[in-house]
Amino acid sequence: MIARTWRGWVRTEDRDAYIAYVRDTGIAQYRATPGNIEAHLLTRDLDDGRTEVVTLSFWTSLDAVRGFAGDDVSTAVFYPEDDRWLVDRERTVTHHEVH
């Protein structure tokens, strides 16, 4: 099993709207992709007016991840409205084997 993580940051005042947006885009697409086991959205408010957002998904294999992300599984997938919400973001994702 493969765990895939990505991090981004939004203004805390935009947190709830961004959560709804990510659930409707990335999380929904994760869950609709064959080989996705589960997908979660994690948040934590920071002391500087930002909220860190982490997507955490579990996959049967890297081949299943390719069904979502394309051939370069290390590149993050973004959606049209991400620029509206994100004040910073990782451009890459991290994959770990789950034992």
Side-chain angles (χ1 to χ4, degrees):
M1 181 173 24
I2 302 295
R4 176 183 171 96
T5 58
W6 169 85
R7 294 184 319 154
W9 295 264
V10 298
R11 289 176 295 280
T12 298
E13 64 197 44
D14 294 333
R15 176 192 57 226
D16 293 340
Y18 187 68
I19 288 169
Y21 172 71
V22 172
R23 282 184 181 150
D24 291 344
T25 56
I27 297 296
Q29 190 175 356
Y30 282 164
R31 291 176 176 162
T33 302
N36 177 258
I37 298 167
E38 58 186 301
H40 304 278
L41 184 61
L42 313 171
T43 63
R44 80 180 166 122
D45 293 342
L46 306 175
D47 293 332
D48 61 1
R50 297 179 308 150
T51 295
E52 180 182 40
V53 178
V54 176
T55 60
L56 170 63
S57 56
F58 296 93
W59 303 83
T60 56
S61 67
L62 277 177
D63 283 335
V65 174
R66 284 184 189 91
F68 166 76
D71 288 337
D72 185 358
V73 296
S74 66
T75 299
V77 174
F78 294 106
Y79 295 88
E81 293 291 316
D82 281 328
D83 288 340
R84 174 180 174 193
W85 304 108
L86 292 167
V87 296
D88 198 5
R89 68 186 91 178
E90 292 181 339
R91 303 277 178 188
T92 59
V93 297
T94 304
H95 296 95
H96 297 273
E97 286 190 36
V98 178
H99 300 276

